[in-house]
Amino acid sequence: MEINSNKGRVCYTEDICADGICCFMSIPRKQNHLGIWKHIFRKRSAAYGIKLLYTALHAKDIVYNPCKCLEFYLTWKDDASDDMQILLRCAAYGKKRRPYVCKAFPDRKDSFMHDVPAPCIYNEYIAPEEYVRLKHTHVFRLFYAIKDDQTLLRKISPHCSVDDTRKRLDQCKDVVKISAIWNEKPSEYFLIEVPKVPSILCTSEVHPVIKTIRQAYNRWTGHIETWLEKHYGDKWHTYLEQALEDEDNRPGRKKKEKIFKSKMTK
C-alpha cells in the first residue's frame, strides 16, 4: 500500500453510526430480519460497493458486506476545501418503519444482537489495547473500502461529479488506493480507516463501553472464555490471570482508584 501525501484530510461527523458499523458483521443470513418491509429492500448507497475491511499484521484479512439499509455519504465543506466528511447511518434508523427487531438496539429481547452475548465490533475497536491483545492476540484495524465504481461514487457523493469525487479521494492524504479481488472481478478500492469515536457508540447496561479486561470479562464471560480457549488452549486461565494482574498493577491505576474511593466517602 502507498499512502498519498496530498493535503486533503478525512473528517467524521458526530452522526456516524456505530450501530451501522456493527451491521456489517451482525446481520442474519439473507437479512431476513427485514421481514415484510419491502420498501426497505431498495438498495441504499452502501450496498453498491462499500465494504468493511478487518485487518491486522498477524491475522488474515476479513471483508464484510453491509446491510442493505446502510447509507454511506462523502461530502466536502466547500469547493475550495479538500477536506471531506463521512456519514454512515441506517436508512431506517429513528423512523417508525424501522424493522422492529432493530429497534432499541441492543436492549430488546427481539433485537437482532440481543441473543449474541458479546460486545459489538466497534466496542472492541475502541477498547483498551490490553483487552484487544488478550482476546484477539493482535490489535486490529478497520477500514471502509469504497469501490472505484461510477454508480457507487455518484450515489455516495451526489453533489459532486464522479470525476471530481474520484479526484478528491485520490488527493486525500488519509486515503489509500488498492487493487483487490473480493468475491468478484478485480476492482480498485479507496481505503479510509474507521475512526475511533467513543461518542457515537450505542451504550446501555446491556452494551457498556469496555474500560478494562476485568469489567469486560465479568460482562461477557462465556464469550471471552471461548476466544481465550481457542487461542491458548488449556492454558487460557494463566493468560487471563496474568493479564488481570498486569492491568491491576498498571502505573496510575491504583492512584486513580484511591482518588475515586476518597471522593465516594466524602
Side-chain angles (χ1 to χ4, degrees):
M1 296 181 184
E2 182 178 349
I3 300 179
N4 297 320
S5 57
N6 296 291
K7 59 182 180 179
R9 299 193 62 85
V10 178
C11 307
Y12 297 91
T13 68
E14 287 297 309
D15 293 327
I16 189 172
C17 179
D19 185 347
I21 295 171
C22 298
C23 286
F24 279 92
M25 299 183 166
S26 305
I27 54 177
R29 291 180 181 178
K30 300 180 181 179
Q31 296 180 315
N32 55 11
H33 67 292
L34 297 181
I36 62 173
W37 301 101
K38 295 182 180 179
H39 59 284
I40 295 179
F41 275 83
R42 178 169 63 87
K43 283 185 178 181
R44 304 294 172 162
S45 60
Y48 283 85
I50 304 295
K51 299 179 185 295
L52 188 71
L53 172 63
Y54 174 112
T55 184
L57 287 176
H58 305 293
K60 181 180 178 181
D61 291 345
I62 306 174
V63 178
Y64 297 91
N65 294 314
C67 170
K68 292 178 182 178
C69 285
L70 281 183
E71 292 181 334
F72 186 96
Y73 293 108
L74 300 178
T75 60
W76 280 267
K77 295 180 180 179
D78 54 66
D79 293 337
S81 174
D82 290 319
D83 291 346
M84 67 176 177
Q85 291 185 317
I86 289 181
L87 172 63
L88 175 72
R89 66 186 180 193
C90 173
Y93 189 91
K95 300 177 181 179
K96 293 182 179 180
R97 65 175 182 268
R98 191 180 190 204
Y100 77 94
V101 286
C102 293
K103 290 179 180 177
F105 169 88
D107 297 335
R108 278 176 54 142
K109 291 185 178 180
D110 55 0
S111 172
F112 72 94
M113 275 289 286
H114 191 276
D115 60 347
V116 181
C120 76
I121 190 63
Y122 194 78
N123 200 339
E124 296 202 314
Y125 186 52
I126 65 174
E129 187 172 306
E130 296 88 347
Y131 166 83
V132 179
R133 286 194 181 278
L134 173 67
K135 183 185 170 186
H136 296 271
T137 70
H138 59 258
V139 175
F140 63 90
R141 300 172 74 183
L142 295 176
F143 291 86
Y144 297 122
I146 305 171
K147 188 176 180 180
D148 189 354
D149 174 83
Q150 289 203 36
T151 299
L152 175 65
L153 295 181
R154 189 180 302 111
K155 287 184 176 295
I156 66 174
S157 186
H159 301 297
C160 291
S161 68
V162 172
D163 289 340
D164 192 29
T165 299
R166 185 180 287 118
K167 179 181 178 181
R168 290 182 181 227
L169 285 170
D170 281 330
Q171 291 178 342
C172 185
K173 68 170 67 175
D174 295 328
V175 176
V176 177
K177 187 75 174 290
I178 67 167
S179 297
I181 304 175
W182 292 330
N183 300 321
E184 55 192 60
K185 64 182 181 180
S187 300
E188 299 285 318
Y189 288 87
F190 298 99
L191 296 187
I192 302 177
E193 190 157 13
V194 175
K196 295 185 177 182
V197 188
S199 63
I200 67 169
L201 183 65
C202 179
T203 59
S204 66
E205 185 177 345
V206 174
H207 188 251
V209 175
I210 296 175
K211 296 181 178 179
T212 65
I213 295 173
R214 190 181 301 280
Q215 170 244 356
Y217 179 70
N218 290 338
R219 177 65 187 84
W220 295 288
T221 305
H223 169 75
I224 294 177
E225 285 182 354
T226 299
W227 274 74
L228 297 182
E229 188 173 5
K230 173 184 175 183
H231 287 307
Y232 309 114
D234 295 338
K235 297 182 180 180
W236 69 267
H237 290 92
T238 303
Y239 283 87
L240 175 61
E241 290 170 4
Q242 183 61 54
L244 292 174
E245 183 178 343
D246 292 343
E247 184 176 71
D248 290 340
N249 295 327
R250 191 169 54 209
R253 179 174 175 79
K254 292 185 178 180
K255 182 179 179 180
K256 289 180 181 179
E257 290 180 349
K258 186 176 181 180
I259 294 174
F260 177 76
K261 289 180 180 178
S262 65
K263 288 182 178 180
M264 294 296 289
T265 54
K266 287 182 179 180

